[in-house]
Amino acid sequence: MSNTIATARLQVLNAGSVSSTHLAECLAVDFAALLQAVAPTLPPASIQRMQAATGKGITQRMALAAALLREAGQGDVQHWQAHPSDTVRGWACYLIGGDAQAALPDKLQAMRSLADDPHFGVREWAWLALRSDIVAEPLEALALLQPWTQQRSPHQRRFACEALRPRGVWATHIALFKQQPEHALPLLEALADDPERYVQDSVGNWLNDAGKSQPGWVRDVCARWQSTHDSVANTYIRKRALRSL
């Protein structure tokens, strides 16, 4: 992936001086180099552990970076979430998600500003970093995220939906919502006419996920919405929801 990115550009990404502009740049970042650049007092063993993890998946390396910072006493979330590098701000997400002393309500509250980050990648890390907590307590997460559907920020509204997707991308599945997606209907109803395409895509994808295991339920929801929601937004959501059925 890094072969398609200019050497000078990769150097500033690895130095943590700038944020990435697209997914290829996100994936090309050398985590060991970036960690050494932004946290130069980390012990050499920490950098070596990151270098040894080079071949692992990116979510595993994100979690490892946060763990290494925490172990070295450098786990101040507020410090890292203000960093110019989107990858480093993603590490802040995983510092929140990996806090064994914090309950899910506290983690969600701490994640609010990162869920609203201007960078697309950080917004993805925000929900991915909490996925294991959400998988463990999906109904609690659903209740906590329902009010997020009323937030002014479309990023936070999308977070409420994306974090609860039955399948999702790079994420552990939520078995309950795969088999009983009706639990999430109040949340989906709250977003059924959302004016933002960013949110519409997430709602459509949520239903598309559910349709892989409960296609009849998804068809029924979309049929009902066709008669109760006449918005352009809902028409788009239904089309996206049914694209695999």
Side-chain angles (χ1 to χ4, degrees), residues 191-240:
L191 300 172
D193 297 298
D194 197 282
E196 294 287 337
R197 182 55 57 89
Y198 190 55
V199 182
Q200 295 166 17
D201 281 341
S202 184
V203 178
N205 289 342
W206 201 109
L207 288 165
N208 186 258
D209 280 357
K212 292 179 171 64
S213 48
Q214 298 294 335
W217 180 82
V218 172
R219 288 193 186 96
D220 289 345
V221 168
C222 289
R224 181 168 54 78
W225 279 3
Q226 187 170 6
S227 61
T228 58
H229 296 267
D230 60 358
S231 66
V232 172
N234 192 262
T235 300
Y236 175 84
I237 289 170
R238 295 195 312 271
K239 181 178 180 181
R240 192 167 186 84

mmCIF file of all heavy atoms in Angstrom, residues 191-240:
data_model
loop_
_atom_site.group_PDB
_atom_site.id
_atom_site.type_symbol
_atom_site.label_atom_id
_atom_site.label_comp_id
_atom_site.label_asym_id
_atom_site.label_seq_id
_atom_site.Cartn_x
_atom_site.Cartn_y
_atom_site.Cartn_z
ATOM 1 N N LEU A 191 -33.974 7.370 13.030
ATOM 2 C CA LEU A 191 -33.086 7.834 11.961
ATOM 3 C C LEU A 191 -33.672 7.582 10.567
ATOM 4 O O LEU A 191 -33.001 7.816 9.565
ATOM 5 C CB LEU A 191 -31.731 7.125 12.071
ATOM 6 C CG LEU A 191 -30.960 7.339 13.388
ATOM 7 C CD1 LEU A 191 -29.733 6.431 13.426
ATOM 8 C CD2 LEU A 191 -30.545 8.797 13.547
ATOM 9 N N ALA A 192 -34.915 7.148 10.510
ATOM 10 C CA ALA A 192 -35.502 6.688 9.244
ATOM 11 C C ALA A 192 -35.644 7.790 8.204
ATOM 12 O O ALA A 192 -35.741 7.503 7.003
ATOM 13 C CB ALA A 192 -36.866 6.057 9.505
ATOM 14 N N ASP A 193 -35.661 9.051 8.637
ATOM 15 C CA ASP A 193 -35.770 10.177 7.697
ATOM 16 C C ASP A 193 -34.608 11.145 7.861
ATOM 17 O O ASP A 193 -34.738 12.333 7.550
ATOM 18 C CB ASP A 193 -37.096 10.911 7.915
ATOM 19 C CG ASP A 193 -38.303 10.030 7.638
ATOM 20 O OD1 ASP A 193 -38.453 9.576 6.489
ATOM 21 O OD2 ASP A 193 -39.084 9.779 8.581
ATOM 22 N N ASP A 194 -33.501 10.659 8.362
ATOM 23 C CA ASP A 194 -32.364 11.548 8.622
ATOM 24 C C ASP A 194 -31.940 12.249 7.336
ATOM 25 O O ASP A 194 -31.799 11.619 6.286
ATOM 26 C CB ASP A 194 -31.189 10.755 9.190
ATOM 27 C CG ASP A 194 -30.164 11.658 9.852
ATOM 28 O OD1 ASP A 194 -29.366 12.296 9.130
ATOM 29 O OD2 ASP A 194 -30.167 11.746 11.094
ATOM 30 N N PRO A 195 -31.716 13.565 7.398
ATOM 31 C CA PRO A 195 -31.409 14.320 6.177
ATOM 32 C C PRO A 195 -29.991 14.125 5.651
ATOM 33 O O PRO A 195 -29.698 14.503 4.514
ATOM 34 C CB PRO A 195 -31.628 15.772 6.607
ATOM 35 C CG PRO A 195 -31.341 15.775 8.082
ATOM 36 C CD PRO A 195 -31.853 14.442 8.581
ATOM 37 N N GLU A 196 -29.098 13.540 6.461
ATOM 38 C CA GLU A 196 -27.693 13.427 6.057
ATOM 39 C C GLU A 196 -27.412 12.078 5.398
ATOM 40 O O GLU A 196 -27.703 11.025 5.968
ATOM 41 C CB GLU A 196 -26.779 13.595 7.277
ATOM 42 C CG GLU A 196 -26.819 14.973 7.900
ATOM 43 C CD GLU A 196 -26.113 16.012 7.054
ATOM 44 O OE1 GLU A 196 -25.239 15.626 6.234
ATOM 45 O OE2 GLU A 196 -26.424 17.205 7.218
ATOM 46 N N ARG A 197 -26.798 12.123 4.222
ATOM 47 C CA ARG A 197 -26.469 10.893 3.499
ATOM 48 C C ARG A 197 -25.539 9.999 4.322
ATOM 49 O O ARG A 197 -25.643 8.768 4.279
ATOM 50 C CB ARG A 197 -25.832 11.243 2.149
ATOM 51 C CG ARG A 197 -25.473 10.049 1.255
ATOM 52 C CD ARG A 197 -26.667 9.141 0.995
ATOM 53 N NE ARG A 197 -27.787 9.807 0.394
ATOM 54 C CZ ARG A 197 -27.994 9.943 -0.921
ATOM 55 N NH1 ARG A 197 -27.120 9.449 -1.782
ATOM 56 N NH2 ARG A 197 -29.080 10.552 -1.362
ATOM 57 N N TYR A 198 -24.651 10.593 5.088
ATOM 58 C CA TYR A 198 -23.717 9.852 5.930
ATOM 59 C C TYR A 198 -24.476 8.961 6.912
ATOM 60 O O TYR A 198 -24.088 7.817 7.157
ATOM 61 C CB TYR A 198 -22.856 10.869 6.680
ATOM 62 C CG TYR A 198 -21.663 10.323 7.436
ATOM 63 C CD1 TYR A 198 -20.690 9.541 6.809
ATOM 64 C CD2 TYR A 198 -21.479 10.643 8.785
ATOM 65 C CE1 TYR A 198 -19.589 9.083 7.508
ATOM 66 C CE2 TYR A 198 -20.369 10.186 9.482
ATOM 67 C CZ TYR A 198 -19.434 9.412 8.837
ATOM 68 O OH TYR A 198 -18.332 8.952 9.529
ATOM 69 N N VAL A 199 -25.564 9.466 7.457
ATOM 70 C CA VAL A 199 -26.388 8.695 8.391
ATOM 71 C C VAL A 199 -27.267 7.702 7.622
ATOM 72 O O VAL A 199 -27.421 6.545 8.023
ATOM 73 C CB VAL A 199 -27.259 9.628 9.252
ATOM 74 C CG1 VAL A 199 -28.093 8.821 10.254
ATOM 75 C CG2 VAL A 199 -26.392 10.642 9.991
ATOM 76 N N GLN A 200 -27.809 8.138 6.514
ATOM 77 C CA GLN A 200 -28.661 7.265 5.694
ATOM 78 C C GLN A 200 -27.909 6.000 5.285
ATOM 79 O O GLN A 200 -28.465 4.889 5.327
ATOM 80 C CB GLN A 200 -29.131 8.004 4.444
ATOM 81 C CG GLN A 200 -30.043 9.195 4.714
ATOM 82 C CD GLN A 200 -30.179 10.075 3.485
ATOM 83 O OE1 GLN A 200 -29.870 9.668 2.365
ATOM 84 N NE2 GLN A 200 -30.626 11.309 3.692
ATOM 85 N N ASP A 201 -26.655 6.161 4.893
ATOM 86 C CA ASP A 201 -25.849 4.999 4.497
ATOM 87 C C ASP A 201 -25.738 4.001 5.647
ATOM 88 O O ASP A 201 -25.840 2.782 5.445
ATOM 89 C CB ASP A 201 -24.449 5.448 4.069
ATOM 90 C CG ASP A 201 -24.411 6.017 2.665
ATOM 91 O OD1 ASP A 201 -25.345 5.757 1.888
ATOM 92 O OD2 ASP A 201 -23.443 6.727 2.343
ATOM 93 N N SER A 202 -25.529 4.525 6.857
ATOM 94 C CA SER A 202 -25.376 3.644 8.014
ATOM 95 C C SER A 202 -26.671 2.892 8.326
ATOM 96 O O SER A 202 -26.646 1.687 8.604
ATOM 97 C CB SER A 202 -24.928 4.450 9.241
ATOM 98 O OG SER A 202 -24.680 3.607 10.337
ATOM 99 N N VAL A 203 -27.809 3.583 8.262
ATOM 100 C CA VAL A 203 -29.095 2.938 8.526
ATOM 101 C C VAL A 203 -29.362 1.860 7.468
ATOM 102 O O VAL A 203 -29.777 0.737 7.787
ATOM 103 C CB VAL A 203 -30.239 3.956 8.563
ATOM 104 C CG1 VAL A 203 -31.586 3.266 8.781
ATOM 105 C CG2 VAL A 203 -30.003 4.988 9.666
ATOM 106 N N GLY A 204 -29.119 2.197 6.212
ATOM 107 C CA GLY A 204 -29.302 1.216 5.149
ATOM 108 C C GLY A 204 -28.394 0.018 5.319
ATOM 109 O O GLY A 204 -28.809 -1.137 5.121
ATOM 110 N N ASN A 205 -27.157 0.270 5.723
ATOM 111 C CA ASN A 205 -26.211 -0.826 5.934
ATOM 112 C C ASN A 205 -26.609 -1.678 7.135
ATOM 113 O O ASN A 205 -26.413 -2.902 7.136
ATOM 114 C CB ASN A 205 -24.796 -0.268 6.136
ATOM 115 C CG ASN A 205 -24.218 0.286 4.850
ATOM 116 O OD1 ASN A 205 -24.681 -0.020 3.766
ATOM 117 N ND2 ASN A 205 -23.199 1.127 4.971
ATOM 118 N N TRP A 206 -27.145 -1.042 8.180
ATOM 119 C CA TRP A 206 -27.616 -1.788 9.351
ATOM 120 C C TRP A 206 -28.685 -2.798 8.915
ATOM 121 O O TRP A 206 -28.608 -3.989 9.247
ATOM 122 C CB TRP A 206 -28.195 -0.820 10.382
ATOM 123 C CG TRP A 206 -28.256 -1.327 11.794
ATOM 124 C CD1 TRP A 206 -27.478 -0.919 12.841
ATOM 125 C CD2 TRP A 206 -29.127 -2.343 12.329
ATOM 126 N NE1 TRP A 206 -27.800 -1.619 13.984
ATOM 127 C CE2 TRP A 206 -28.814 -2.505 13.702
ATOM 128 C CE3 TRP A 206 -30.138 -3.146 11.792
ATOM 129 C CZ2 TRP A 206 -29.481 -3.412 14.529
ATOM 130 C CZ3 TRP A 206 -30.793 -4.062 12.605
ATOM 131 C CH2 TRP A 206 -30.465 -4.192 13.967
ATOM 132 N N LEU A 207 -29.649 -2.312 8.171
ATOM 133 C CA LEU A 207 -30.731 -3.188 7.721
ATOM 134 C C LEU A 207 -30.219 -4.251 6.744
ATOM 135 O O LEU A 207 -30.664 -5.403 6.774
ATOM 136 C CB LEU A 207 -31.830 -2.354 7.075
ATOM 137 C CG LEU A 207 -32.658 -1.512 8.063
ATOM 138 C CD1 LEU A 207 -33.456 -0.451 7.321
ATOM 139 C CD2 LEU A 207 -33.589 -2.403 8.897
ATOM 140 N N ASN A 208 -29.276 -3.875 5.905
ATOM 141 C CA ASN A 208 -28.680 -4.840 4.987
ATOM 142 C C ASN A 208 -27.961 -5.948 5.752
ATOM 143 O O ASN A 208 -28.051 -7.128 5.383
ATOM 144 C CB ASN A 208 -27.721 -4.135 4.023
ATOM 145 C CG ASN A 208 -27.179 -5.068 2.962
ATOM 146 O OD1 ASN A 208 -26.049 -5.536 3.052
ATOM 147 N ND2 ASN A 208 -27.979 -5.346 1.960
ATOM 148 N N ASP A 209 -27.259 -5.577 6.819
ATOM 149 C CA ASP A 209 -26.636 -6.574 7.701
ATOM 150 C C ASP A 209 -27.692 -7.539 8.232
ATOM 151 O O ASP A 209 -27.529 -8.759 8.200
ATOM 152 C CB ASP A 209 -25.971 -5.887 8.907
ATOM 153 C CG ASP A 209 -24.610 -5.288 8.593
ATOM 154 O OD1 ASP A 209 -24.135 -5.434 7.463
ATOM 155 O OD2 ASP A 209 -24.027 -4.677 9.507
ATOM 156 N N ALA A 210 -28.771 -6.957 8.777
ATOM 157 C CA ALA A 210 -29.836 -7.779 9.377
ATOM 158 C C ALA A 210 -30.482 -8.686 8.341
ATOM 159 O O ALA A 210 -30.900 -9.810 8.653
ATOM 160 C CB ALA A 210 -30.883 -6.884 10.026
ATOM 161 N N GLY A 211 -30.552 -8.206 7.108
ATOM 162 C CA GLY A 211 -31.181 -8.983 6.053
ATOM 163 C C GLY A 211 -30.443 -10.255 5.696
ATOM 164 O O GLY A 211 -31.018 -11.171 5.100
ATOM 165 N N LYS A 212 -29.179 -10.365 6.071
ATOM 166 C CA LYS A 212 -28.414 -11.586 5.790
ATOM 167 C C LYS A 212 -28.887 -12.755 6.648
ATOM 168 O O LYS A 212 -28.697 -13.912 6.287
ATOM 169 C CB LYS A 212 -26.918 -11.312 5.982
ATOM 170 C CG LYS A 212 -26.341 -10.363 4.932
ATOM 171 C CD LYS A 212 -24.866 -10.098 5.177
ATOM 172 C CE LYS A 212 -24.233 -9.331 4.021
ATOM 173 N NZ LYS A 212 -24.784 -7.988 3.840
ATOM 174 N N SER A 213 -29.474 -12.454 7.801
ATOM 175 C CA SER A 213 -29.979 -13.527 8.665
ATOM 176 C C SER A 213 -31.488 -13.461 8.870
ATOM 177 O O SER A 213 -32.117 -14.493 9.134
ATOM 178 C CB SER A 213 -29.277 -13.491 10.034
ATOM 179 O OG SER A 213 -29.271 -12.188 10.568
ATOM 180 N N GLN A 214 -32.079 -12.275 8.725
ATOM 181 C CA GLN A 214 -33.523 -12.106 8.906
ATOM 182 C C GLN A 214 -34.111 -11.303 7.734
ATOM 183 O O GLN A 214 -34.611 -10.191 7.906
ATOM 184 C CB GLN A 214 -33.813 -11.398 10.243
ATOM 185 C CG GLN A 214 -33.350 -12.153 11.471
ATOM 186 C CD GLN A 214 -34.101 -13.460 11.679
ATOM 187 O OE1 GLN A 214 -35.234 -13.619 11.224
ATOM 188 N NE2 GLN A 214 -33.479 -14.418 12.355
ATOM 189 N N PRO A 215 -34.047 -11.864 6.520
ATOM 190 C CA PRO A 215 -34.499 -11.107 5.343
ATOM 191 C C PRO A 215 -35.978 -10.742 5.390
ATOM 192 O O PRO A 215 -36.360 -9.655 4.939
ATOM 193 C CB PRO A 215 -34.197 -12.054 4.179
ATOM 194 C CG PRO A 215 -34.140 -13.422 4.791
ATOM 195 C CD PRO A 215 -33.567 -13.223 6.160
ATOM 196 N N GLY A 216 -36.804 -11.614 5.930
ATOM 197 C CA GLY A 216 -38.236 -11.322 5.989
ATOM 198 C C GLY A 216 -38.531 -10.114 6.859
ATOM 199 O O GLY A 216 -39.384 -9.282 6.508
ATOM 200 N N TRP A 217 -37.830 -10.010 7.963
ATOM 201 C CA TRP A 217 -38.031 -8.864 8.858
ATOM 202 C C TRP A 217 -37.653 -7.564 8.160
ATOM 203 O O TRP A 217 -38.373 -6.571 8.244
ATOM 204 C CB TRP A 217 -37.214 -9.055 10.138
ATOM 205 C CG TRP A 217 -37.376 -7.922 11.113
ATOM 206 C CD1 TRP A 217 -38.392 -7.752 12.001
ATOM 207 C CD2 TRP A 217 -36.503 -6.795 11.272
ATOM 208 N NE1 TRP A 217 -38.207 -6.579 12.710
ATOM 209 C CE2 TRP A 217 -37.055 -5.980 12.288
ATOM 210 C CE3 TRP A 217 -35.313 -6.399 10.667
ATOM 211 C CZ2 TRP A 217 -36.455 -4.790 12.710
ATOM 212 C CZ3 TRP A 217 -34.708 -5.217 11.083
ATOM 213 C CH2 TRP A 217 -35.276 -4.428 12.082
ATOM 214 N N VAL A 218 -36.534 -7.580 7.463
ATOM 215 C CA VAL A 218 -36.085 -6.369 6.770
ATOM 216 C C VAL A 218 -37.079 -5.986 5.669
ATOM 217 O O VAL A 218 -37.423 -4.808 5.518
ATOM 218 C CB VAL A 218 -34.663 -6.559 6.196
ATOM 219 C CG1 VAL A 218 -34.276 -5.370 5.307
ATOM 220 C CG2 VAL A 218 -33.658 -6.724 7.325
ATOM 221 N N ARG A 219 -37.572 -6.958 4.930
ATOM 222 C CA ARG A 219 -38.570 -6.664 3.892
ATOM 223 C C ARG A 219 -39.830 -6.057 4.518
ATOM 224 O O ARG A 219 -40.410 -5.110 3.973
ATOM 225 C CB ARG A 219 -38.921 -7.934 3.121
ATOM 226 C CG ARG A 219 -37.827 -8.428 2.180
ATOM 227 C CD ARG A 219 -38.378 -9.489 1.228
ATOM 228 N NE ARG A 219 -37.324 -10.083 0.419
ATOM 229 C CZ ARG A 219 -36.708 -11.227 0.715
ATOM 230 N NH1 ARG A 219 -37.054 -11.902 1.809
ATOM 231 N NH2 ARG A 219 -35.763 -11.704 -0.075
ATOM 232 N N ASP A 220 -40.246 -6.586 5.659
ATOM 233 C CA ASP A 220 -41.444 -6.074 6.330
ATOM 234 C C ASP A 220 -41.249 -4.633 6.794
ATOM 235 O O ASP A 220 -42.144 -3.796 6.637
ATOM 236 C CB ASP A 220 -41.804 -6.957 7.530
ATOM 237 C CG ASP A 220 -42.348 -8.322 7.117
ATOM 238 O OD1 ASP A 220 -42.704 -8.482 5.933
ATOM 239 O OD2 ASP A 220 -42.405 -9.212 7.987
ATOM 240 N N VAL A 221 -40.098 -4.351 7.369
ATOM 241 C CA VAL A 221 -39.802 -2.984 7.820
ATOM 242 C C VAL A 221 -39.829 -2.025 6.640
ATOM 243 O O VAL A 221 -40.443 -0.958 6.694
ATOM 244 C CB VAL A 221 -38.439 -2.916 8.545
ATOM 245 C CG1 VAL A 221 -38.007 -1.463 8.755
ATOM 246 C CG2 VAL A 221 -38.491 -3.635 9.882
ATOM 247 N N CYS A 222 -39.183 -2.416 5.563
ATOM 248 C CA CYS A 222 -39.111 -1.529 4.394
ATOM 249 C C CYS A 222 -40.487 -1.344 3.753
ATOM 250 O O CYS A 222 -40.815 -0.243 3.291
ATOM 251 C CB CYS A 222 -38.113 -2.079 3.383
ATOM 252 S SG CYS A 222 -36.383 -1.926 3.932
ATOM 253 N N ALA A 223 -41.287 -2.393 3.740
ATOM 254 C CA ALA A 223 -42.642 -2.287 3.189
ATOM 255 C C ALA A 223 -43.482 -1.327 4.036
ATOM 256 O O ALA A 223 -44.252 -0.511 3.495
ATOM 257 C CB ALA A 223 -43.298 -3.657 3.132
ATOM 258 N N ARG A 224 -43.336 -1.415 5.347
ATOM 259 C CA ARG A 224 -44.091 -0.516 6.225
ATOM 260 C C ARG A 224 -43.604 0.915 6.076
ATOM 261 O O ARG A 224 -44.402 1.843 6.006
ATOM 262 C CB ARG A 224 -43.970 -0.985 7.679
ATOM 263 C CG ARG A 224 -44.754 -0.126 8.661
ATOM 264 C CD ARG A 224 -44.838 -0.776 10.017
ATOM 265 N NE ARG A 224 -43.527 -1.135 10.537
ATOM 266 C CZ ARG A 224 -42.673 -0.252 11.094
ATOM 267 N NH1 ARG A 224 -42.996 1.033 11.159
ATOM 268 N NH2 ARG A 224 -41.506 -0.652 11.560
ATOM 269 N N TRP A 225 -42.278 1.079 6.015
ATOM 270 C CA TRP A 225 -41.725 2.421 5.849
ATOM 271 C C TRP A 225 -42.168 3.058 4.530
ATOM 272 O O TRP A 225 -42.339 4.267 4.456
ATOM 273 C CB TRP A 225 -40.202 2.360 5.926
ATOM 274 C CG TRP A 225 -39.665 2.312 7.332
ATOM 275 C CD1 TRP A 225 -40.396 2.266 8.489
ATOM 276 C CD2 TRP A 225 -38.296 2.322 7.729
ATOM 277 N NE1 TRP A 225 -39.556 2.233 9.584
ATOM 278 C CE2 TRP A 225 -38.247 2.267 9.142
ATOM 279 C CE3 TRP A 225 -37.085 2.365 7.040
ATOM 280 C CZ2 TRP A 225 -37.064 2.258 9.867
ATOM 281 C CZ3 TRP A 225 -35.890 2.355 7.755
ATOM 282 C CH2 TRP A 225 -35.878 2.307 9.155
ATOM 283 N N GLN A 226 -42.346 2.254 3.515
ATOM 284 C CA GLN A 226 -42.761 2.796 2.219
ATOM 285 C C GLN A 226 -44.113 3.504 2.336
ATOM 286 O O GLN A 226 -44.371 4.477 1.624
ATOM 287 C CB GLN A 226 -42.830 1.681 1.179
ATOM 288 C CG GLN A 226 -43.087 2.196 -0.234
ATOM 289 C CD GLN A 226 -42.921 1.111 -1.278
ATOM 290 O OE1 GLN A 226 -42.722 -0.059 -0.950
ATOM 291 N NE2 GLN A 226 -42.993 1.478 -2.543
ATOM 292 N N SER A 227 -44.950 3.032 3.233
ATOM 293 C CA SER A 227 -46.270 3.652 3.381
ATOM 294 C C SER A 227 -46.322 4.687 4.498
ATOM 295 O O SER A 227 -47.257 5.493 4.550
ATOM 296 C CB SER A 227 -47.326 2.575 3.649
ATOM 297 O OG SER A 227 -47.048 1.877 4.850
ATOM 298 N N THR A 228 -45.325 4.678 5.379
ATOM 299 C CA THR A 228 -45.359 5.620 6.511
ATOM 300 C C THR A 228 -44.293 6.699 6.444
ATOM 301 O O THR A 228 -44.359 7.674 7.193
ATOM 302 C CB THR A 228 -45.199 4.861 7.848
ATOM 303 O OG1 THR A 228 -43.962 4.129 7.839
ATOM 304 C CG2 THR A 228 -46.371 3.905 8.068
ATOM 305 N N HIS A 229 -43.305 6.528 5.578
ATOM 306 C CA HIS A 229 -42.223 7.513 5.429
ATOM 307 C C HIS A 229 -42.105 7.865 3.950
ATOM 308 O O HIS A 229 -41.672 7.032 3.148
ATOM 309 C CB HIS A 229 -40.885 6.955 5.931
ATOM 310 C CG HIS A 229 -40.856 6.646 7.394
ATOM 311 N ND1 HIS A 229 -40.423 7.547 8.342
ATOM 312 C CD2 HIS A 229 -41.216 5.525 8.076
ATOM 313 C CE1 HIS A 229 -40.502 6.998 9.559
ATOM 314 N NE2 HIS A 229 -40.986 5.773 9.409
ATOM 315 N N ASP A 230 -42.501 9.073 3.594
ATOM 316 C CA ASP A 230 -42.480 9.444 2.176
ATOM 317 C C ASP A 230 -41.301 10.346 1.829
ATOM 318 O O ASP A 230 -41.304 11.021 0.804
ATOM 319 C CB ASP A 230 -43.793 10.116 1.776
ATOM 320 C CG ASP A 230 -44.063 11.400 2.574
ATOM 321 O OD1 ASP A 230 -43.243 11.739 3.468
ATOM 322 O OD2 ASP A 230 -45.085 12.059 2.292
ATOM 323 N N SER A 231 -40.285 10.356 2.685
ATOM 324 C CA SER A 231 -39.135 11.229 2.445
ATOM 325 C C SER A 231 -38.184 10.642 1.400
ATOM 326 O O SER A 231 -38.127 9.424 1.202
ATOM 327 C CB SER A 231 -38.358 11.458 3.745
ATOM 328 O OG SER A 231 -37.767 10.249 4.189
ATOM 329 N N VAL A 232 -37.443 11.525 0.753
ATOM 330 C CA VAL A 232 -36.388 11.093 -0.169
ATOM 331 C C VAL A 232 -35.343 10.294 0.596
ATOM 332 O O VAL A 232 -34.804 9.303 0.090
ATOM 333 C CB VAL A 232 -35.739 12.318 -0.844
ATOM 334 C CG1 VAL A 232 -34.517 11.909 -1.656
ATOM 335 C CG2 VAL A 232 -36.756 13.039 -1.725
ATOM 336 N N ALA A 233 -35.076 10.714 1.828
ATOM 337 C CA ALA A 233 -34.090 10.026 2.658
ATOM 338 C C ALA A 233 -34.486 8.582 2.886
ATOM 339 O O ALA A 233 -33.664 7.660 2.740
ATOM 340 C CB ALA A 233 -33.950 10.745 3.996
ATOM 341 N N ASN A 234 -35.738 8.345 3.229
ATOM 342 C CA ASN A 234 -36.165 6.981 3.522
ATOM 343 C C ASN A 234 -36.186 6.118 2.279
ATOM 344 O O ASN A 234 -35.889 4.913 2.337
ATOM 345 C CB ASN A 234 -37.534 6.977 4.208
ATOM 346 C CG ASN A 234 -37.877 5.626 4.786
ATOM 347 O OD1 ASN A 234 -38.608 4.836 4.182
ATOM 348 N ND2 ASN A 234 -37.319 5.317 5.964
ATOM 349 N N THR A 235 -36.527 6.713 1.153
ATOM 350 C CA THR A 235 -36.479 5.968 -0.113
ATOM 351 C C THR A 235 -35.075 5.459 -0.375
ATOM 352 O O THR A 235 -34.875 4.302 -0.761
ATOM 353 C CB THR A 235 -36.946 6.863 -1.272
ATOM 354 O OG1 THR A 235 -38.284 7.285 -1.031
ATOM 355 C CG2 THR A 235 -36.881 6.120 -2.596
ATOM 356 N N TYR A 236 -34.097 6.312 -0.132
ATOM 357 C CA TYR A 236 -32.699 5.925 -0.324
ATOM 358 C C TYR A 236 -32.303 4.828 0.663
ATOM 359 O O TYR A 236 -31.651 3.839 0.299
ATOM 360 C CB TYR A 236 -31.791 7.140 -0.149
ATOM 361 C CG TYR A 236 -30.319 6.818 -0.215
ATOM 362 C CD1 TYR A 236 -29.663 6.718 -1.443
ATOM 363 C CD2 TYR A 236 -29.579 6.590 0.941
ATOM 364 C CE1 TYR A 236 -28.312 6.408 -1.505
ATOM 365 C CE2 TYR A 236 -28.229 6.278 0.889
ATOM 366 C CZ TYR A 236 -27.607 6.192 -0.342
ATOM 367 O OH TYR A 236 -26.263 5.872 -0.396
ATOM 368 N N ILE A 237 -32.705 4.984 1.929
ATOM 369 C CA ILE A 237 -32.386 3.989 2.959
ATOM 370 C C ILE A 237 -32.962 2.627 2.593
ATOM 371 O O ILE A 237 -32.291 1.592 2.692
ATOM 372 C CB ILE A 237 -32.901 4.447 4.345
ATOM 373 C CG1 ILE A 237 -32.061 5.627 4.859
ATOM 374 C CG2 ILE A 237 -32.872 3.293 5.346
ATOM 375 C CD1 ILE A 237 -32.635 6.296 6.094
ATOM 376 N N ARG A 238 -34.226 2.611 2.144
ATOM 377 C CA ARG A 238 -34.858 1.336 1.792
ATOM 378 C C ARG A 238 -34.131 0.665 0.631
ATOM 379 O O ARG A 238 -33.922 -0.557 0.636
ATOM 380 C CB ARG A 238 -36.341 1.543 1.441
ATOM 381 C CG ARG A 238 -37.179 2.025 2.600
ATOM 382 C CD ARG A 238 -38.669 1.863 2.315
ATOM 383 N NE ARG A 238 -39.091 2.355 1.015
ATOM 384 C CZ ARG A 238 -39.476 3.612 0.774
ATOM 385 N NH1 ARG A 238 -39.467 4.517 1.748
ATOM 386 N NH2 ARG A 238 -39.862 3.964 -0.443
ATOM 387 N N LYS A 239 -33.747 1.451 -0.340
ATOM 388 C CA LYS A 239 -33.038 0.876 -1.495
ATOM 389 C C LYS A 239 -31.708 0.254 -1.045
ATOM 390 O O LYS A 239 -31.363 -0.848 -1.484
ATOM 391 C CB LYS A 239 -32.803 1.965 -2.547
ATOM 392 C CG LYS A 239 -32.093 1.458 -3.797
ATOM 393 C CD LYS A 239 -31.932 2.563 -4.825
ATOM 394 C CE LYS A 239 -31.230 2.065 -6.066
ATOM 395 N NZ LYS A 239 -31.051 3.147 -7.081
ATOM 396 N N ARG A 240 -31.027 0.946 -0.166
ATOM 397 C CA ARG A 240 -29.751 0.435 0.320
ATOM 398 C C ARG A 240 -29.954 -0.805 1.198
ATOM 399 O O ARG A 240 -29.179 -1.756 1.142
ATOM 400 C CB ARG A 240 -29.030 1.536 1.109
ATOM 401 C CG ARG A 240 -27.586 1.227 1.419
ATOM 402 C CD ARG A 240 -26.837 2.462 1.901
ATOM 403 N NE ARG A 240 -25.409 2.181 2.055
ATOM 404 C CZ ARG A 240 -24.524 2.222 1.067
ATOM 405 N NH1 ARG A 240 -24.906 2.553 -0.143
ATOM 406 N NH2 ARG A 240 -23.257 1.949 1.285
#
